[in-house]
Amino acid sequence: MFPTVKRLLTEISTCLIGLVVLYLCVRWRRFKSKSITRVSAADGNLTKPSAKLPAGPPSWPIFGYLPGLPKVRVWEVYNKWAETYGDMIYVPSFKNHIIILNSAEAVFELLERRGSIYSDRPHGMVMMQLMTLDRDPGFVPYDSKWRYIRKLYNQQMNTTEVVKFRDYQSAAAQSLLGSLLDSPEDFLRHCRTFSAATVMNIAYGHQIAPRNDQIVQLSEATGLAFSKASQPGYYMVDNFPILRYIPSFFPFASFKTFAAETKKATYRSRTVPFRQVVEGMKNGDVKTCFVSESLNDLNGVDLSPRGVKKDFDLEEFENREDVSLIKDIAGGMFGAGSGTTTAALHSFILAMVMFPHVQKRAQEELDHVLGSGRLPTFEDQPRLPYIGAIAQEVLRWFPVAPNAVPHTTSEDDVYKGYLIPKGAILIPNVRNLLHDPKIYPNPDEFRPERFLPDDNGNIARDPAVQGAFGFGRRICAGRNLAEASIWISAASLLAVFDISPALGENGKPIDVKPAFAGAPGLFE
Ligand code: HEM
């Protein structure tokens, strides 16, 4: 018996090794053939039979650049590479062609002007599929489903419509003030609660519990899983898709259990609040929110108490293509909008601590406009330009997403003589764009004045169009909301508090050192 098992195992191992060698040979051929692909170039040069891939750090055939992309202060690494390899840096990984775009010229030419072929997202992310997170609006391929998603987003969140959510934002800002008064040392958590409360109200009209809200906890777990699984190559199964079929009790298969748990959490975090809205609509108790407004706009759907028939089947309704997309969009809002807004608020507080003269000038503006005894409202916005400039500078000074979200090409292309293969992942060095000293002199200094007209009427370029919210057709769908949230929270905080460093054991203010920890969720 024993020798038979041994022989069987030997044969299986031989087969597996054979398969791996075959796979590597196929990859090697594809790898070699990429540099001689015939391309239809969008830069006007239509016959470039042998365009080369851009230069980049030394890498291994097949396995690519083994250290993998840097995780900390990435922009510094990219800037260093750019000194040697130029503004387009090729970093092959085991499965993908990764290209870093280090100059504004390359970023805007490719991701904006050539947006028709640079607006896809990475495909074949197995872990995302196993967790059902590939349905997230920020991740769906560039196709008709994505267009519908953007249409719905635009219907509810264009500059005019987004105003209907302001009450939620103002209320969350006021709660933030109360929480800070009670426990200022917990300011990081209070900022998170502010963002979560805003997003949950806007998505579902869901008023979160002050602590341990179940939907928020489920959404946070999902967001964390998303932030890992959305990084190309984070999980081995993304490099070797065949691993998805191994049973979860196998050694090294804990990813399957994790994926199954996340799938359940995703389902619950998206279904429970969605159903609350539908129930509310059926009972005539409707709150303004993305889900209720979008369902109301659907053709042939009437969820009012008079419109709902007795045999209304909720599951069947949820499975309608358009309804399930509304559910996915609302479900993705927490991941896209909560961690990012929190990170911006944290940067704002850091800036106020480090640049007290900015705080002082902002408070003078607030005192002048508000007098005493009332909080700022959105109606005051036109008369508070310095606060507006602070909100812009927050987005520039410590960009929440220093590499935005990668775009993928849907066709082979050539730029400046270099081949950009179909399916390549493009990573823009946003931090670099927002710290370009030619556009933003002394970029490390927090200086809101740059966004107010100087003596000649010149104003620095708005960070929102210089990459803080990404680029082209995939630019952040919630940026109007995000800007309003940052503005009202910053204005409210400055109207009420002096923000200064905590005191150390010696009774002196602690020395604050800025460091980038990343936004939890989509862009970590
Ligand atoms: C300070 C806050 C925020 C920042 C800095 C931010 C930044 C970004 C960035 C960099 C992208 C990727 C764009 C690209 O691929 O070029 C993005 C995408 C996206 N954001 Fe935001 N975001 C913020 C808040 C929000 C909020 C509040 C929402 C909604 C409630 C939201 C919804 C989305 C969606 C749906 C996408 C995917 C767009 C697509 O793939 O077509 N974001 N965001």
Side-chain angles (χ1 to χ4, degrees):
M1 181 71 183
F2 182 66
T4 322
V5 174
K6 207 172 154 192
R7 203 172 48 242
L8 194 68
L9 281 177
T10 314
E11 277 168 14
I12 292 175
S13 312
T14 315
C15 274
L16 278 176
I17 293 170
L19 280 174
V20 169
V21 171
L22 186 71
Y23 178 68
L24 293 179
C25 288
V26 172
R27 281 194 52 83
W28 173 246
R29 278 180 64 79
R30 281 178 47 197
F31 178 83
K32 292 288 282 178
S33 68
K34 259 308 163 197
S35 59
I36 52 161
T37 310
R38 185 169 212 99
V39 291
S40 66
D43 68 353
N45 190 349
L46 285 169
T47 49
K48 274 215 167 66
S50 59
K52 284 204 190 92
L53 290 161
S59 55
W60 288 75
I62 301 173
F63 296 102
Y65 180 68
L66 281 184
L69 289 178
K71 299 224 166 11
V72 187
R73 299 184 74 84
V74 283
W75 56 88
E76 284 178 1
V77 181
Y78 296 161
N79 282 341
K80 194 116 205 80
W81 281 347
E83 287 170 16
T84 315
Y85 310 113
D87 281 340
M88 279 212 305
I89 304 149
Y90 179 63
V91 189
S93 74
F94 183 69
K95 208 174 146 209
N96 301 301
H97 299 279
I98 298 174
I99 297 176
I100 315 293
L101 302 175
N102 215 50
S103 70
E105 189 192 356
V107 169
F108 288 109
E109 173 60 33
L110 301 181
L111 305 191
E112 300 227 321
R113 268 173 234 119
R114 300 188 194 182
S116 60
I117 57 167
Y118 281 87
S119 299
D120 211 354
R121 296 287 194 214
H123 287 225
M125 308 280 286
V126 181
M127 199 58 180
M128 293 287 281
Q129 290 162 6
L130 293 176
M131 294 170 164
T132 59
L133 290 174
D134 56 328
R135 300 174 60 87
D136 194 281
F139 228 76
V140 293
Y142 180 61
D143 57 12
S144 54
K145 188 168 144 188
W146 171 82
R147 269 182 211 97
Y148 184 69
I149 289 171
R150 292 296 300 221
K151 190 175 127 198
L152 289 188
Y153 245 109
N154 190 45
Q155 266 168 11
Q156 302 301 332
M157 301 208 180
N158 61 48
T159 40
T160 318
E161 285 296 319
V162 79
V163 172
K164 65 184 172 226
F165 299 120
R166 281 180 169 180
D167 284 352
Y168 291 138
Q169 292 169 307
S170 304
Q174 288 186 22
S175 296
L176 172 64
L177 298 181
S179 311
L180 283 169
L181 197 62
D182 284 348
S183 50
E185 68 286 354
D186 262 351
F187 71 96
L188 292 174
R189 187 166 60 83
H190 298 326
C191 292
R192 267 184 25 222
T193 308
F194 165 82
S195 310
T198 314
V199 168
M200 285 302 182
N201 258 324
I202 289 170
Y204 304 107
H206 172 71
Q207 183 77 42
I208 66 167
R211 271 173 193 264
N212 305 331
D213 185 275
Q214 209 205 351
I215 305 297
V216 170
Q217 283 175 339
L218 287 168
S219 304
E220 280 184 339
T222 307
L224 210 62
F226 187 110
S227 66
K228 291 182 184 153
S230 58
Q231 293 172 34
Y234 190 96
Y235 286 101
M236 193 59 90
V237 66
D238 284 329
N239 287 331
F240 298 97
I242 198 160
L243 292 178
R244 73 185 296 164
Y245 300 109
I246 62 170
S248 43
F249 55 80
F250 260 50
F252 309 113
S254 56
F255 74 90
K256 287 206 76 169
T257 316
F258 182 61
E261 279 164 8
T262 307
K263 185 176 165 185
K264 269 194 223 148
T266 309
Y267 178 78
R268 273 187 62 71
S269 69
R270 296 185 174 191
T271 304
V272 173
F274 181 85
R275 289 189 175 172
Q276 277 169 3
V277 179
V278 175
E279 284 307 317
M281 292 174 81
K282 278 165 55 189
N283 299 328
D285 173 20
V286 194
K287 285 200 184 130
T288 304
C289 65
F290 176 82
V291 171
S292 64
E293 299 280 304
S294 302
L295 291 178
N296 270 335
D297 285 352
L298 283 185
N299 270 341
V301 173
D302 180 0
L303 287 175
S304 68
R306 269 184 299 138
V308 178
K309 300 204 179 75
K310 279 223 160 38
D311 59 352
F312 175 78
D313 182 333
L314 182 57
E315 270 187 41
E316 194 184 307
F317 177 67
E318 275 175 359
N319 287 333
R320 274 178 55 149
E321 176 78 9
D322 46 7
V323 175
S324 72
L325 279 177
I326 292 173
K327 199 175 158 195
D328 287 339
I329 298 174
M333 275 184 194
F334 187 92
S338 182
T340 44
T341 308
T342 303
L345 262 181
H346 290 169
S347 301
F348 161 73
I349 291 174
L350 177 66
M352 293 306 101
V353 168
M354 290 178 65
F355 301 89
H357 65 280
V358 171
Q359 186 174 178
K360 189 162 173 288
R361 181 168 166 187
Q363 287 170 332
E364 280 164 10
E365 181 179 78
L366 283 160
D367 288 347
H368 178 71
V369 171
L370 305 178
S372 59
R374 81 172 176 92
L375 288 172
T377 67
F378 282 106
E379 282 68 46
D380 297 313
Q381 215 167 354
R383 292 186 299 147
L384 294 168
Y386 194 68
I387 306 288
I390 288 181
Q392 285 178 292
E393 183 70 338
V394 164
L395 289 168
R396 185 204 68 81
W397 182 59
F398 247 61
V400 170
N403 291 140
V405 176
H407 287 216
T408 300
T409 41
S410 39
E411 280 176 28
D412 279 352
D413 191 20
V414 169
Y415 174 63
K416 293 203 168 168
Y418 288 114
L419 170 67
I420 300 176
K422 176 178 173 181
I425 296 177
L426 290 115
I427 301 184
N429 188 351
V430 170
R431 169 62 162 63
N432 215 21
L433 268 55
L434 292 171
H435 279 240
D436 179 348
K438 289 197 279 312
I439 308 179
Y440 308 108
N442 296 325
D444 291 338
E445 197 186 322
F446 191 89
R447 194 143 66 82
E449 291 79 2
R450 53 180 109 240
F451 300 112
L452 300 175
D454 67 11
D455 294 344
N456 302 318
N458 299 323
I459 304 178
R461 199 166 148 82
D462 184 354
V465 292
Q466 187 70 5
F469 290 110
F471 303 93
R473 301 176 189 200
R474 299 290 309 220
I475 196 166
C476 175
R479 63 192 181 285
N480 296 328
L481 266 188
E483 285 177 317
S485 286
I486 297 170
W487 187 88
I488 192 70
S489 49
S492 307
L493 254 77
L494 288 169
V496 173
F497 296 114
D498 286 329
I499 304 171
S500 54
L503 302 181
E505 277 172 11
N506 57 6
K508 292 199 175 130
I510 55 166
D511 192 14
V512 176
K513 290 200 180 67
F516 184 78
L522 187 55
F523 311 107
E524 196 175 43

